[in-house]
Coordinates of all heavy atoms in Angstrom, one line a residue:
Chain A
T119 N -10.1 7.2 -8.0 CA -8.8 6.6 -7.8 C -8.3 5.9 -9.0 O -7.1 6.0 -9.4 CB -9.0 5.6 -6.6 OG1 -9.4 6.3 -5.4 CG2 -7.6 4.9 -6.3
R120 N -9.2 5.2 -9.7 CA -8.8 4.5 -10.9 C -8.3 5.5 -12.0 O -7.3 5.3 -12.6 CB -10.0 3.7 -11.5 CG -10.0 2.3 -10.9 CD -10.9 1.4 -11.7 NE -12.3 1.7 -11.4 CZ -13.1 0.9 -10.6 NH1 -12.5 -0.2 -10.1 NH2 -14.3 1.2 -10.4
A121 N -9.1 6.6 -12.1 CA -8.7 7.6 -13.1 C -7.4 8.2 -12.7 O -6.6 8.5 -13.6 CB -9.8 8.7 -13.1
A122 N -7.1 8.4 -11.4 CA -5.9 9.0 -11.0 C -4.7 8.1 -11.4 O -3.7 8.5 -11.8 CB -5.9 9.3 -9.5
Y123 N -4.9 6.8 -11.1 CA -3.9 5.8 -11.4 C -3.6 5.8 -12.9 O -2.5 5.8 -13.4 CB -4.3 4.4 -10.9 CG -3.3 3.4 -11.1 CD1 -2.0 3.5 -10.5 CD2 -3.5 2.3 -11.9 CE1 -1.1 2.5 -10.7 CE2 -2.5 1.3 -12.1 CZ -1.3 1.4 -11.5 OH -0.4 0.5 -11.6
A124 N -4.7 5.8 -13.7 CA -4.5 5.8 -15.2 C -3.7 7.0 -15.6 O -2.8 7.0 -16.5 CB -5.8 5.7 -15.9
A125 N -4.1 8.2 -15.0 CA -3.4 9.4 -15.4 C -1.9 9.3 -15.0 O -1.0 9.8 -15.7 CB -4.1 10.6 -14.7
L126 N -1.6 8.8 -13.8 CA -0.2 8.6 -13.4 C 0.5 7.8 -14.4 O 1.7 8.1 -14.8 CB -0.2 8.0 -12.0 CG 1.1 7.6 -11.5 CD1 2.1 8.8 -11.3 CD2 1.0 6.8 -10.1
M127 N 0.0 6.6 -14.7 CA 0.7 5.8 -15.7 C 0.9 6.5 -17.0 O 1.9 6.4 -17.6 CB -0.1 4.5 -15.9 CG -0.3 3.6 -14.6 SD 1.2 2.9 -14.0 CE 1.5 3.9 -12.6
D128 N -0.1 7.2 -17.4 CA 0.0 7.9 -18.7 C 1.1 9.0 -18.6 O 1.9 9.1 -19.5 CB -1.3 8.6 -19.0 CG -1.4 9.1 -20.4 OD1 -1.2 8.3 -21.3 OD2 -1.6 10.3 -20.6
R129 N 1.2 9.6 -17.5 CA 2.2 10.7 -17.3 C 3.6 10.1 -17.3 O 4.5 10.6 -17.9 CB 1.9 11.4 -15.9 CG 2.8 12.5 -15.7 CD 2.5 13.2 -14.3 NE 3.2 12.5 -13.2 CZ 2.9 12.8 -11.9 NH1 2.0 13.7 -11.6 NH2 3.5 12.1 -11.0
M130 N 3.7 8.9 -16.7 CA 5.0 8.3 -16.7 C 5.5 7.9 -18.1 O 6.6 8.1 -18.5 CB 5.0 7.0 -15.9 CG 4.8 7.3 -14.4 SD 4.6 5.8 -13.4 CE 6.2 5.1 -13.4
I131 N 4.5 7.4 -18.9 CA 4.9 7.0 -20.3 C 5.2 8.3 -21.1 O 6.2 8.3 -21.9 CB 3.7 6.2 -20.9 CG1 3.6 4.9 -20.2 CG2 4.0 6.0 -22.4 CD1 2.4 4.0 -20.7
R132 N 4.4 9.3 -20.9 CA 4.7 10.5 -21.7 C 6.0 11.1 -21.3 O 6.8 11.6 -22.2 CB 3.6 11.5 -21.6 CG 2.4 11.1 -22.5 CD 1.3 12.2 -22.5 NE 0.5 12.2 -21.3 CZ 0.7 13.1 -20.3 NH1 1.6 14.0 -20.5 NH2 0.0 13.1 -19.2
T133 N 6.3 11.1 -20.0 CA 7.6 11.6 -19.6 C 8.8 10.9 -20.3 O 9.7 11.5 -20.7 CB 7.8 11.5 -18.1 OG1 6.7 12.2 -17.5 CG2 9.1 12.0 -17.6
S134 N 8.6 9.6 -20.3 CA 9.6 8.7 -20.9 C 9.8 9.0 -22.4 O 10.9 9.1 -22.9 CB 9.3 7.3 -20.6 OG 10.1 6.4 -21.4
D135 N 8.7 9.2 -23.0 CA 8.7 9.4 -24.5 C 9.4 10.8 -24.8 O 10.1 10.9 -25.7 CB 7.3 9.3 -25.1 CG 6.9 7.9 -25.3 OD1 7.8 7.0 -25.2 OD2 5.7 7.6 -25.5
A136 N 9.1 11.7 -23.9 CA 9.7 13.1 -24.1 C 11.2 13.0 -24.0 O 11.9 13.6 -24.7 CB 9.1 14.0 -23.1
L137 N 11.6 12.2 -23.0 CA 13.0 12.0 -22.8 C 13.7 11.4 -24.1 O 14.7 11.9 -24.6 CB 13.3 11.1 -21.6 CG 14.8 10.7 -21.5 CD1 15.4 11.5 -20.4 CD2 14.9 9.2 -21.3
L138 N 13.0 10.4 -24.6 CA 13.6 9.7 -25.8 C 13.6 10.6 -27.0 O 14.5 10.5 -27.8 CB 12.8 8.4 -26.1 CG 13.1 7.2 -25.2 CD1 12.3 6.0 -25.5 CD2 14.6 6.9 -25.2
A139 N 12.7 11.5 -27.0 CA 12.7 12.4 -28.2 C 13.9 13.3 -28.2 O 14.3 13.7 -29.3 CB 11.4 13.3 -28.1
E140 N 14.4 13.6 -27.0 CA 15.6 14.4 -27.0 C 16.9 13.7 -26.8 O 18.0 14.3 -26.6 CB 15.5 15.4 -25.8 CG 14.3 16.4 -25.9 CD 14.3 17.4 -24.8 OE1 15.2 17.3 -23.9 OE2 13.4 18.3 -24.8

Side-chain angles (χ1 to χ4, degrees):
Chain A
T119 300
R120 272 195 281 258
Y123 183 62
L126 171 64
M127 296 295 105
D128 192 58
R129 186 178 82 188
M130 291 174 76
I131 293 175
R132 280 187 289 98
T133 300
S134 167
D135 283 347
L137 172 103
L138 282 179
E140 295 185 1

